[in-house]
Amino acid sequence: MLPGVIGVMMATEAIKYIIGIGEPLIGRLILYEALGMTYREMRINRDENCPLCGDNPVITKLIDDYDAAAENPETFAPAAD
Amino acid sequence: MKSYRQIVEEAKTEIPEVTVDEIKSEQEKDSDFVLLDVRDEDEYRAGYIANAVHVTRGMLEFSVENYIPDRDQKVVVYCAAGLRSLLAAKSLREMGYTDTVSLAGGYRDWTAAGFPTEQDKPMSHEQLDRYSRHFMLTEVGEQGQAKLLDAKVLMVGAGGLGSPAGVYLGAAGVGHMGIIDSDVVELSNLQRQILHRTESVGTPKVQSATTTIKSLNPDIDITPYNLRLTADNVEEIFSEYDLIVDGCDNFATRFLVNDAAVLMNKPIVHGSIFQFEGQVSLFKPHEGPCYRCMYPTPPPPGLVPS
Ligand SMILES: [Zn+2]
Ligand SMILES: [Zn+2]
């Protein structure tokens, strides 16, 4: 049942975004826990040191093999030049 | 008791009227005013004056503030022939709008003068019926529905999250959907992946998903991608879409989707679940965080949610 709740929230966000109404979940993470039936909102901020969208990104193109990288997380970001 | 004529005469003493020629030349001078169309949906649908804000007379008091928040904004109200607009302009004054005028002769005189009009892409009778509950929500309305029908949304994954998302996006009338998944339907999927059916076991998920969404809403045009998203194909596929709905079930794909979306400046609706907890967010590149802002690299293998 949990994927139903989350998937419908995703559809709701998509529709709000397309029409341009309401408060989008930009910078907010919704956490839903089914057993306790609790629902929390967390602020999430852009990290200026993010390797991808930070102020000095080291990832400026896709890495070659995401499957291989997933097996060995240290390789997930290319080394900084 | 007042007659209709008395009410109109009273309104005329309070509300200035302007002619269509005056408004046309104000438009050409780029004067600062808002045109407010208070006619019914079917009248508006047949054509309206460019850039007009549409709020039906019946919904005026409830929703005009959403469209015209500044009560000192000059508002030129029009209807079919200039009577409803007088009464609407009077109601606006009662609500505190300070500068409301009524267009004499209304849309009738506007078109008779040969001035230009616009019309939204017409919806079929079936669409007007199918989406009628959306039209009752003023925030959605026919304009919002037209945006949904024009939208191009890519769903990554037709599994646990992609199923409910795809069903609702299709039902709501998101006009163009791409669905990527390289799996075939398994019996153990059916306990939660509501896009698929018992008779689809053994067939590609994208095929089964397309069949289900099409039977729910034949209006939707769906592009199935029976493949695994990789660094080699992601850019070509993403370039066709305005919004990515990421319901994938593995870290390799989630990082790939995130990296490609940031590099290509596409927003992602993110969702993931692990056991009994789920999370949702919207990653809009550079306006908020991306997935890597939260998780620069994936956790070690073995800790893999789905
Ligand atoms: Zn309308
Ligand atoms: Zn980032």
Side-chain angles (χ1 to χ4, degrees):
Chain A
M1 272 21 70
L2 178 62
V5 175
I6 300 298
V8 171
M9 285 190 200
M10 292 168 74
T12 307
E13 277 306 296
I15 287 170
K16 281 164 55 189
Y17 181 81
I18 292 164
I19 302 178
I21 53 173
E23 292 302 321
L25 278 181
I26 299 170
R28 298 189 288 149
L29 184 73
I30 300 300
L31 297 162
Y32 170 78
E33 202 275 317
L35 291 184
M37 197 54 90
T38 57
Y39 179 97
R40 288 187 296 138
E41 176 178 327
M42 240 174 77
R43 285 251 142 234
I44 47 174
N45 297 315
R46 190 178 73 92
D47 177 3
E48 59 189 32
N49 298 314
C50 173
L52 180 66
C53 76
D55 295 340
N56 298 297
V58 291
I59 304 171
T60 53
K61 59 181 179 56
L62 297 174
I63 61 177
D64 293 333
D65 188 341
Y66 281 80
D67 286 316
E71 296 297 312
N72 183 8
E74 299 82 65
T75 66
F76 228 100
D81 291 327
Chain B
M1 215 164 74
K2 290 179 196 169
S3 74
Y4 143 83
R5 219 164 268 287
Q6 282 171 303
I7 293 175
V8 169
E9 288 309 319
E10 249 180 54
K12 279 192 180 185
T13 63
E14 286 175 50
I15 305 296
E17 290 184 284
V18 291
T19 66
V20 295
D21 292 297
E22 284 166 341
I23 289 305
K24 186 73 171 70
S25 67
E26 292 286 322
Q27 265 188 343
E28 277 154 15
K29 280 187 288 184
D30 246 347
S31 306
D32 180 31
F33 64 90
V34 173
L35 264 171
L36 174 64
D37 185 329
V38 295
R39 296 173 303 158
D40 289 343
E41 287 295 345
D42 52 340
E43 299 176 281
Y44 176 83
R45 200 177 292 142
Y48 54 88
I49 303 175
N51 302 320
V53 169
H54 177 221
V55 183
T56 60
R57 177 68 189 89
M59 291 303 290
L60 187 69
E61 289 84 351
F62 300 103
S63 51
V64 70
E65 281 171 293
N66 297 334
Y67 299 91
I68 311 174
D70 176 8
R71 280 170 154 75
D72 293 322
Q73 170 73 54
K74 178 172 182 176
V75 182
V76 178
V77 190
Y78 77 89
C79 62
L83 295 179
R84 277 176 290 172
S85 57
L86 264 178
L87 305 183
K90 188 164 179 270
S91 300
L92 289 175
R93 296 253 170 156
E94 283 161 14
M95 291 178 73
Y97 286 86
T98 56
D99 191 4
T100 65
V101 302
S102 168
L103 185 63
Y107 192 71
R108 183 196 61 201
D109 280 13
W110 182 268
T111 50
F115 294 150
T117 60
E118 286 188 358
Q119 193 173 15
D120 289 338
K121 199 165 74 185
M123 285 189 211
S124 67
H125 284 290
E126 202 208 297
Q127 287 176 321
L128 292 173
D129 197 8
R130 176 181 288 273
Y131 305 120
S132 54
R133 293 305 184 275
H134 275 169
F135 305 153
M136 292 178 186
L137 303 167
T138 43
E139 289 81 1
V140 181
E142 285 183 40
Q143 291 93 327
Q145 188 63 50
K147 288 184 192 167
L148 291 175
L149 288 168
D150 278 343
K152 300 186 177 79
V153 174
L154 179 68
M155 297 202 333
V156 181
L161 297 171
S163 279
V167 165
Y168 275 93
L169 292 175
V174 168
H176 310 272
M177 288 169 59
I179 307 176
I180 304 184
D181 203 309
S182 60
D183 290 344
V184 296
V185 179
E186 293 174 31
L187 194 56
S188 64
N189 299 151
L190 300 185
Q191 148 272 11
R192 65 195 183 286
Q193 301 184 13
I194 58 168
L195 270 176
H196 313 299
R197 301 287 176 263
T198 305
E199 60 269 25
S200 312
V201 169
T203 65
K205 281 189 179 176
V206 288
Q207 187 187 317
S208 151
T210 303
T211 307
T212 303
I213 297 173
K214 280 275 194 186
S215 74
L216 188 60
N217 189 351
D219 230 13
I220 309 300
D221 129 62
I222 302 178
T223 307
Y225 300 90
N226 187 13
L227 47 78
R228 192 174 156 83
L229 200 64
T230 67
D232 293 323
N233 60 26
V234 67
E235 279 158 312
E236 196 183 328
I237 297 173
F238 274 24
S239 66
E240 301 288 324
Y241 299 92
D242 313 317
L243 175 66
I244 316 296
V245 173
D246 182 13
C248 76
D249 60 0
N250 65 85
F251 279 110
T253 306
R254 191 172 301 147
F255 276 83
L256 169 62
V257 165
N258 183 70
D259 290 2
V262 171
L263 294 172
M264 297 176 75
N265 200 24
K266 306 265 180 190
I268 304 176
V269 176
H270 160 82
S272 65
I273 53 178
F274 182 58
Q275 294 182 350
F276 292 99
E277 186 162 82
Q279 58 183 45
V280 193
S281 193
L282 177 63
F283 299 139
K284 180 119 193 263
H286 308 293
E287 286 184 31
C290 77
Y291 190 71
R292 282 197 191 252
C293 289
M294 300 196 308
Y295 308 102
T297 60
L303 257 175
V304 177
S306 151

